[in-house]
Amino acid sequence: MTQAFRIENSGLINRDKKLSFKFNGKTYFGYEGDTLASALLANGVHLVGRSFKYHRPRGFFGAGVDEPYAVVQLYRNGETEPNIKATEQELFEGLEAKSVNCWPSVNFDIGAINNFLKIFLPAGFYYKTFMWPKSFWYRIYEPFIRKAAGLGVASTKHDKERYEHKYEYCDLLIAGSGPSGLAGAYAAAKNGAKVILAEDKPRFGGSLLTSDVNIGNQSGKDWAEGIVAELKTMPNVVVKNRSQIFGYYDHNMLVMSEKVSDHLPVTKKYHPNKRLWYIRAKEVLISSGSIERPIVFGNNDTPGVMLSSAAKEYLKVYGVLVGRKPLVFTNNDSGYETAIEFKKHGVDPVLLDSRKNPESEIIDEAKNLGINIKNSYVVVAAQGYKKVKSADIASISEDKKQLGKIENIQCDCICVSGFWTPTIHLASQSGNKTKFKEEIDAFVPGQSKQNEITLGAASGEFSLEETLKTSFTAGSELSKKITENDNKIAIPNVVEKKSSQHDKFWCVPLPKGKNYKRFLDFQNDVAVSDVEIALREGYRSIEHVKRYTTLGMATDQGKTSNLNGLQLVSEIENKVVPAVGHTTFRPPYTPVSIGAIVGREVGKHSKPTRNSPMHSWHEKNNAVFVDAGVWLRPRYYKRGNENLFEGSKREAKNVRTNVGVCDVTTLGKIDIKGPDAAELLNRVYTNAWLKLPVGKARYGVMLREDGIVMDDGTTTRISENHYHMTTTTAQAANVLSHLEYYLQLVWPELNVNVVSTTEQWAGAAIAGPKSRDLLQKLFPNSDVSNEGLPFMGYMEGDLFGTKARIFRISFSGELAYEVNVESNFGNFMWEKIMEVGEEFNIQPYGTEALSTLRIEMGHVAGSELDGRTIPFDNALEGLVSKKKDFIGKRSLQRSAFIAEDRQRIVGVVPLDKQTSIPEGSHLVKDDKAPLPNPKLGHISASCWSVEYDNPFSLAILKDGKNMIGQKLFAMSPLKNKVIPVEIVSSHYVDPKGERVRS
Amino acid sequence: MLYINCPHCGMRSQNEFSYGGDASVKRPELNKEVSDQEWDNFVYNRKSLRGKHLELWQHISGCRQWIKVERDTATHEIFRTFKADEEVA
């Protein structure tokens, strides 16, 4: 197919490079430098989609970020992405795109029946209709609405593309490379400031690419090119195209999405698809320009109706005619500029101006070119279904209330201009209180809140000369403050045609007897009548009107619809627009890929992984790993076809009969030094610490100030003023912060230093009746007898030439030791233990066996210390000192904490000695009681007791102290289980604790 | 994201810090008789101020020092920051 609407002598595209692409399965051609939109228009394709609610045909309305219609599903390199604006997507060889929101095809769309039912789909239709009956909601209504709604489908595949995050700091960040941004950037750069200039389009220059102006005796476009070329050579300047600053956050932090690869058929090797920049700027210059707004008239959503600035852009940037018989409908001089461009390229437009007798240089030029101009004329309605075929036009009275006789004129596009809306999103996001500027009928930034300044069209200043003057000045003043350089720059001469005042006219009245749909929001199908309904039904706040009608809620965020919506509300409410106010602008300004937001933090990079120094040994020996916080720990070491249950049972059994070794490197370790170290421990732990001798360890429990157990662990006195604290794996970081809090803020008089040594020491727990024999062989020169190293004793030893710390502590309840060496020697230690332990039938054991061993011993862990229990609940009240004060002690006097029937840890055994009790099951008295069945407690941890070869669980049970021997039921609705159980002591194995002391 | 002036390290982004609550709360002294009300006020009762607020932050990914930050809870403006042992005038 030929590009029938491409013209020869215009455009910035590269005609030497022809590209093929597919749209809805059909192959077309375009050029390098095209967008998907311009390439389709060059091929005369105007029908690109269906509207959201009524499935009306949709074409192109804009030429960039403001596009409400042309949202497509993109296919690139085997991936698919929804919600892509055809006006922003650059063309590449092999691009494929499809229409969305239509079925079976864009040409014949069944949903279009909604268009004929539209009387049934007014504002609030969904809210009103689908409320009743309630049970219909998620069976019938929701699936139906979900199928009918939506703009494209998300890919369900893993995204192969890579996304990056980057943090950057600069003196001056400039959002937008139009005349204002370029002038500001240039002046600041010349003063030596560190500048970042961001442009969301591929080409720099903004309005200078399409306007007919001269700066410093060159065309605006050439001047822009020169400035950008010079900026690119400066080491203090970063110039970025395809980069959208989409959010302005606290303390001058802005976020920018850089499309690195979207314009290429395949992402280059080592390149990301997108890069998200977090930029902390000292000053921000917002030069985001303005967006043309439409005038509302009948059927103004017909394909072929578009913004006049877009028609001009397609012509001047892409060399594409959006029509051969254009009708321009304007209330200001911008429409004339578009008409002039048409005329210059051999096309005769008809121009309707709502104004009676405007005069300006631009209008004079149009008249001199012989353009057919009709003053006090408006478009009443577009005619045509899938494309504009003609327009009903009429003269309009001066008060804009009365239409003259309706005439029909042939046209194939309607280019509409209702003046310009400054893009104030970034300023508003920064906290700037915007104000309404009467002369331009739009909001502009007001008092700056952060270090931001808005210039040029974004501030409502449409004169190029004034914009350049203020922007050069601002760029040099802002940078002067930072760099203290003051390089004066001569502001270039500007030649631009003066324009006349626009007409405060935004909506064409309905002719008598006609009921045309007049759309405000093109993406969400919100018509004038919908807003009228909302107001009639009592909605007053603009925020409520927005949500009820969905005006401005689509992915284009109402860039073209907001102001006309406000005009309508103010007119009906008989208020001025500023009294109505505008809805809040929230980031992002345009949709941002989830991939870009997530960045590199996907898959195994979603969190750091911590491995112990023995990790590779575990891997080599068939360890099955489990996440413990960010650590990877062996859960069990698989032998043959063993499953978790069999493997962990074997490992636990071997600890009880022979000896096992467990990697306990992950335990938190804190080195505590200083003359007041004992005093700190005494205040932090619930038990007494002042009399712990050197070379001894002690178990301790620490509370939060509210009396809840925070953590437990052993702390060992290494020397007079030196302690080694261990914490649970999960709480290591919190405990360190906790200690630092009290040392720095509450008791700064304590002379103590704390530092994490978790990663400095590798730890191995050696447990089982044969552990002493093994230890003696590992440390032949040390006396590790029961007298030489008693329970809770500590000594240093020499492990084949490596310095080791030996603690006689036990979590398994067996005779056990913990050996620590410096991390670098962790693997050496482990291999030695395995080697020497062979004659004692040593086996490594994982966390599952570790759990089994501690559960049947009744030792508490994270599942009991769950942030809801006090020492008593865990049978740890014996460790609570009555004599001294400590953190959280006062809270233990709370009435609930001293209640007679306070919850307490118990053991639970199923009556059949067969059925494992699911963790989380509730304990109840009567399994047949009506719901909600009163809960007496819950199962906190379950195991298969290797000692008794039957299931055993721990539970936190109300009045647990007096419940031993009672028969209850463990109920798990989740697992659909009801298990009769008996309550026993939590110390199921070796209740007197003889083994650890043996 | 806030930009916090750590008195030890300089200007750092919020993601290096961890929030620690109201800095004006004083822990009752150890071994002192404390009424239920007094203890409740220390453990639980906080004002949710709108406006200037003195709060604690810990520079956990930096110097690990607890610092005091005077911040407006509505505008997020940070006026001053102090070291843990600095008196706030």
Side-chain angles (χ1 to χ4, degrees):
Chain A
M1 185 161 174
T2 54
Q3 300 178 42
F5 289 83
R6 188 84 70 177
I7 49 170
E8 280 307 316
N9 50 353
S10 180
L12 309 174
I13 45 169
N14 177 12
R15 286 170 204 259
D16 296 333
K17 191 143 183 217
K18 204 168 169 184
L19 304 171
S20 77
F21 67 102
K22 271 188 185 172
F23 183 66
N24 286 336
K26 198 167 166 184
T27 302
Y28 298 95
F29 292 95
Y31 292 118
E32 188 179 76
D34 261 325
T35 60
L36 174 59
S38 67
L40 284 170
L41 285 168
N43 287 284
V45 178
H46 280 261
L47 179 62
V48 281
R50 291 281 175 164
S51 74
F52 194 63
K53 201 157 79 177
Y54 302 125
H55 292 246
R56 285 163 70 108
R58 287 291 186 245
F60 299 95
F61 193 69
V65 68
D66 50 332
E67 176 62 34
Y69 294 157
V71 173
V72 298
Q73 183 87 22
L74 187 77
Y75 300 84
R76 171 181 176 270
N77 192 27
E79 303 273 351
T80 182
E81 202 177 337
N83 199 14
I84 298 293
K85 290 186 178 81
T87 53
E88 290 192 296
Q89 178 59 50
E90 291 173 67
L91 200 65
F92 53 78
E93 178 59 36
L95 180 150
E96 276 189 71
K98 281 185 187 161
S99 298
V100 295
N101 205 32
C102 54
W103 184 84
S105 81
V106 67
N107 260 307
F108 176 73
D109 176 18
I110 285 188
I113 198 160
N114 285 359
N115 190 28
F116 303 102
L117 299 175
K118 65 194 169 201
I119 188 156
F120 297 118
L121 288 168
F125 170 74
Y126 293 88
Y127 299 121
K128 289 169 195 162
T129 310
F130 297 126
M131 291 297 288
W132 183 91
K134 206 176 163 189
S135 62
F136 271 34
W137 173 250
Y138 72 107
R139 276 193 297 125
I140 295 167
Y141 295 147
E142 194 190 326
F144 169 75
I145 293 170
R146 279 195 188 281
K147 194 167 179 297
L151 296 165
V153 288
S155 170
T156 53
K157 286 194 298 180
H158 172 74
D159 190 350
K160 288 179 299 201
E161 298 280 328
R162 207 155 56 83
Y163 302 87
E164 278 179 0
H165 285 184
K166 185 180 165 82
Y167 291 81
E168 195 53 271
Y169 298 81
C170 67
D171 296 328
L172 191 62
L173 174 64
I174 294 158
S177 74
S180 166
L182 289 178
Y186 190 74
K190 283 284 177 190
N191 272 346
K194 195 178 171 200
V195 173
I196 298 176
L197 173 64
E199 168 58 47
D200 73 322
K201 291 202 163 190
R203 295 176 184 83
F204 296 98
S207 64
L208 294 175
L209 294 174
T210 55
S211 57
D212 185 16
V213 295
N214 262 279
I215 305 172
N217 298 324
Q218 358 172 27
S219 73
K221 180 176 101 32
D222 290 346
W223 177 82
E225 263 169 31
I227 294 274
V228 170
E230 192 176 342
L231 287 173
K232 280 183 175 169
T233 66
M234 298 169 81
N236 53 326
V237 182
V238 174
V239 180
K240 281 282 161 193
N241 58 343
R242 305 188 175 100
S243 296
Q244 173 77 63
I245 296 174
F246 65 78
Y248 198 138
Y249 301 90
D250 285 316
H251 296 182
N252 263 34
M253 156 81 88
L254 293 94
V255 185
M256 173 169 96
S257 170
E258 179 190 1
K259 292 177 179 170
V260 182
S261 308
D262 280 352
H263 62 295
L264 303 170
V266 180
T267 303
K268 282 189 208 151
K269 206 174 179 184
Y270 307 123
H271 281 228
N273 180 288
K274 292 188 185 68
R275 185 180 289 127
L276 211 64
W277 295 55
Y278 293 87
I279 303 170
R280 189 80 71 174
K282 287 193 183 126
E283 301 283 344
V284 177
L285 197 161
I286 301 169
S287 46
S288 45
S290 56
I291 291 173
E292 200 167 22
R293 58 180 181 254
I295 301 174
V296 180
F297 55 86
N299 300 330
N300 55 340
D301 64 330
T302 312
V305 177
M306 68 167 65
L307 291 172
S308 99
S309 58
K312 191 171 75 169
E313 188 168 337
Y314 286 119
L315 192 53
K316 291 205 76 169
V317 177
Y318 304 102
V320 171
L321 283 174
V322 297
R324 296 198 184 281
K325 272 195 287 179
L327 177 65
V328 178
F329 175 27
T330 189
N331 71 359
N332 70 97
D333 287 7
S334 296
Y336 288 83
E337 290 176 7
T338 302
I340 288 166
E341 290 301 330
F342 273 122
K343 186 76 182 175
K344 281 183 180 169
H345 290 92
V347 174
D348 272 322
V350 176
L351 188 143
L352 310 186
D353 191 332
S354 66
R355 297 173 294 182
K356 194 177 174 191
N357 197 16
E359 279 176 26
S360 76
E361 287 173 27
I362 299 168
I363 295 170
D364 285 347
E365 188 187 355
K367 282 180 180 162
N368 290 340
L369 284 167
I371 290 171
N372 182 359
I373 299 167
K374 288 168 172 290
N375 283 320
S376 293
Y377 251 82
V378 297
V379 175
V380 176
Q383 299 295 351
Y385 181 56
K386 288 177 191 167
K387 178 74 198 294
V388 171
K389 291 202 175 93
S390 66
D392 290 345
I393 63 171
S395 62
I396 192 160
S397 63
E398 207 150 341
D399 66 358
K400 305 289 194 272
K401 298 233 162 86
Q402 304 299 319
L403 294 172
K405 189 170 166 290
I406 291 178
E407 308 153 44
N408 184 271
I409 65 165
Q410 298 292 305
C411 60
D412 60 359
C413 68
I414 301 174
C415 307
V416 57
S417 175
F419 207 52
W420 296 84
T421 307
T423 304
I424 57 170
H425 298 62
L426 286 178
S428 177
Q429 287 169 19
S430 86
N432 187 306
K433 289 268 172 270
T434 57
K435 60 181 189 212
F436 192 73
K437 194 171 172 186
E438 205 67 52
E439 306 95 275
I440 62 166
D441 286 332
F443 286 93
V444 294
Q447 184 66 41
S448 298
K449 192 195 147 197
Q450 303 196 40
N451 292 345
E452 112 272 333
I453 179 170
T454 305
L455 292 170
S459 68
E461 177 54 66
F462 297 116
S463 143
L464 178 64
E465 190 173 4
E466 193 58 31
T467 291
L468 284 185
K469 211 162 73 190
T470 51
S471 304
F472 270 115
T473 310
S476 90
E477 291 297 319
L478 291 172
S479 54
K480 197 168 81 183
K481 278 198 303 191
I482 298 165
T483 66
E484 291 171 6
N485 292 334
D486 194 7
N487 293 318
K488 291 270 180 275
I489 295 167
I491 298 171
N493 281 332
V494 171
V495 182
E496 64 179 321
K497 295 194 183 69
K498 298 276 174 291
S499 54
S500 54
Q501 173 66 37
H502 80 288
D503 193 0
K504 291 173 181 293
F505 169 69
W506 63 276
C507 183
V508 179
L510 279 178
K512 276 205 182 71
K514 293 287 184 187
N515 196 20
Y516 298 122
K517 275 273 173 197
R518 294 173 298 167
F519 286 95
L520 291 165
D521 182 317
F522 302 104
Q523 199 171 45
N524 267 355
D525 276 3
V526 181
V528 169
S529 52
D530 294 313
V531 173
E532 287 169 349
I533 287 173
L535 292 165
R536 206 155 62 223
E537 293 184 358
Y539 291 89
R540 287 295 174 270
S541 155
I542 188 67
E543 297 280 3
H544 292 159
V545 171
K546 167 182 169 174
R547 280 155 186 81
Y548 195 57
T549 62
T550 71
L551 175 75
M553 280 173 68
T555 62
D556 71 337
Q557 295 226 331
K559 290 182 178 68
T560 52
S561 64
N562 277 342
L563 263 170
N564 284 342
L566 293 180
Q567 292 280 10
L568 177 61
V569 173
S570 70
E571 207 168 278
I572 300 173
E573 290 282 285
N574 212 2
K575 282 183 192 162
V576 289
V577 173
V580 175
H582 60 74
T583 53
T584 314
F585 292 101
R586 290 193 180 84
Y589 172 65
T590 54
V592 182
S593 287
I594 298 286
I597 292 168
V598 175
R600 298 296 306 274
E601 293 166 13
V602 289
K604 67 175 184 178
H605 296 297
S606 56
K607 59 178 171 50
T609 304
R610 294 174 88 178
N611 293 338
S612 93
M614 290 82 100
H615 188 78
S616 58
W617 190 96
H618 304 323
E619 274 182 330
K620 273 182 264 171
N621 288 275
N622 297 325
V624 177
F625 290 96
V626 62
D627 289 324
V630 292
W631 289 95
L632 273 185
R633 296 189 74 176
R635 195 167 187 192
Y636 74 111
Y637 299 81
K638 196 181 178 83
R639 284 191 180 176
N641 288 326
E642 270 179 352
N643 60 22
L644 172 67
F645 178 73
E646 294 156 353
S648 62
K649 211 163 113 176
R650 167 182 53 74
E651 291 171 5
K653 188 119 191 121
N654 192 58
V655 172
R656 292 270 185 255
T657 48
N658 296 308
V659 59
V661 57
C662 181
D663 186 346
V664 291
T665 303
T666 63
L667 285 186
K669 304 174 203 78
I670 298 171
D671 206 57
I672 302 177
K673 276 184 179 165
D676 296 322
E679 178 60 28
L680 173 71
L681 295 172
N682 209 43
R683 294 179 185 186
V684 167
Y685 283 126
T686 59
N687 48 347
W689 284 80
L690 297 179
K691 289 176 184 157
L692 181 73
V694 172
K696 277 283 191 184
R698 185 166 284 176
Y699 174 72
V701 173
M702 58 179 82
L703 309 185
R704 312 188 308 214
E705 290 286 15
D706 63 2
I708 299 291
V709 178
M710 179 176 179
D711 199 41
D712 69 341
T714 57
T715 293
T716 306
R717 191 166 196 176
I718 305 283
S719 67
E720 179 64 24
N721 293 325
H722 184 191
Y723 291 79
H724 172 82
M725 174 185 274
T726 64
T727 73
T728 59
T729 303
Q731 291 292 330
N734 288 346
V735 171
L736 183 64
S737 274
H738 182 70
L739 298 179
E740 286 164 337
Y741 175 89
Y742 284 94
L743 285 174
Q744 294 172 24
L745 289 160
V746 185
W747 304 310
E749 68 278 9
L750 293 184
N751 190 355
V752 186
N753 219 317
V754 293
V755 67
S756 165
T757 52
T758 302
E759 294 188 345
Q760 276 63 39
W761 295 99
I766 301 171
K770 294 180 184 167
S771 59
R772 183 179 294 128
D773 300 339
L774 168 57
L775 199 71
Q776 193 63 69
K777 285 216 160 182
L778 288 168
F779 298 96
N781 302 326
S782 302
D783 175 12
V784 297
S785 67
N786 203 19
E787 293 72 40
L789 183 59
F791 181 54
M792 295 311 256
Y794 164 78
M795 63 164 58
E796 282 167 17
D798 175 47
L799 181 77
F800 302 98
T802 299
K803 205 181 111 185
R805 289 175 168 182
I806 311 164
F807 308 85
R808 188 172 164 188
I809 53 179
S810 176
F811 190 46
S812 58
E814 290 299 322
L815 171 65
Y817 304 86
E818 232 177 84
V819 182
N820 281 7
V821 294
E822 283 177 30
S823 290
N824 289 349
F825 297 100
N827 208 46
F828 170 79
M829 165 181 71
W830 190 269
E831 283 177 351
K832 280 292 170 197
I833 292 169
M834 289 305 296
E835 186 189 312
V836 177
E838 206 179 331
E839 63 172 289
F840 305 106
N841 295 320
I842 194 167
Q843 285 182 22
Y845 64 101
T847 55
E848 198 69 17
L850 184 77
S851 285
T852 296
L853 296 166
R854 74 95 185 168
I855 291 168
E856 61 178 4
M857 280 289 169
H859 289 172
V860 292
S863 49
E864 290 76 37
L865 311 179
D866 63 355
R868 294 178 294 181
T869 55
I870 59 170
F872 177 88
D873 305 348
N874 294 294
L876 295 171
E877 69 278 12
L879 289 174
V880 176
S881 167
K882 294 203 168 59
K883 289 179 192 150
K884 58 138 195 176
D885 200 359
F886 54 84
I887 292 168
K889 185 177 191 183
R890 179 65 178 78
S891 288
L892 295 179
Q893 294 169 25
R894 288 174 58 189
S895 54
F897 287 179
I898 51 172
E900 277 298 309
D901 59 353
R902 179 74 198 169
Q903 62 177 6
R904 190 172 170 87
I905 189 168
V906 293
V908 181
V909 180
L911 292 187
D912 67 0
K913 304 260 173 133
Q914 291 292 324
T915 314
S916 288
I917 309 169
E919 288 174 354
S921 298
H922 282 192
L923 292 169
V924 300
K925 198 163 187 106
D926 175 7
D927 66 325
K928 303 280 186 318
L931 297 175
N933 196 339
K935 170 198 162 191
L936 301 175
H938 73 275
I939 301 293
S940 60
S942 286
C943 73
W944 189 276
S945 164
V946 289
E947 187 86 9
Y948 298 107
D949 202 24
N950 58 250
F952 176 73
S953 298
L954 293 175
I956 304 288
L957 179 62
K958 190 171 183 180
D959 197 20
K961 210 166 187 172
N962 299 314
M963 294 294 276
I964 308 295
Q966 296 263 351
K967 305 257 190 322
L968 298 175
F969 295 91
M971 296 185 75
S972 173
L974 205 62
K975 298 268 168 78
N976 201 19
K977 278 190 173 173
V978 178
I979 306 162
V981 298
E982 182 179 359
I983 304 303
V984 299
S985 160
S986 59
H987 300 293
Y988 198 44
V989 174
D990 188 23
K992 289 185 181 149
E994 285 163 346
R995 293 182 192 180
V996 293
R997 293 181 173 80
S998 62
Chain B
M1 194 172 359
L2 304 184
Y3 206 27
I4 301 170
N5 188 9
C6 171
H8 309 278
C9 307
M11 299 300 295
R12 299 299 172 97
S13 276
Q14 183 184 347
N15 51 3
E16 293 186 13
F17 295 83
S18 146
Y19 182 67
D22 189 340
S24 66
V25 175
K26 277 252 177 294
R27 192 192 191 281
E29 276 176 40
L30 288 167
N31 301 309
K32 199 186 119 192
E33 275 290 310
V34 184
S35 72
D36 283 353
Q37 187 57 54
E38 212 178 320
W39 189 255
D40 278 356
N41 285 343
F42 161 61
V43 178
Y44 299 106
N45 299 334
R46 297 287 182 273
K47 281 180 185 141
S48 183
L49 286 176
R50 189 180 201 279
K52 240 183 211 187
H53 185 231
L54 191 68
E55 55 203 17
L56 293 171
W57 290 77
Q58 190 186 13
H59 196 185
I60 48 164
S61 301
C63 60
R64 294 208 61 88
Q65 295 300 302
W66 286 88
I67 62 168
K68 296 173 196 168
V69 176
E70 191 181 45
R71 182 180 70 103
D72 189 307
T73 56
T75 65
H76 291 183
E77 186 178 353
I78 291 175
F79 306 98
R80 295 178 296 175
T81 56
F82 306 88
K83 293 178 182 170
D85 57 0
E86 257 181 286
E87 279 307 311
V88 179

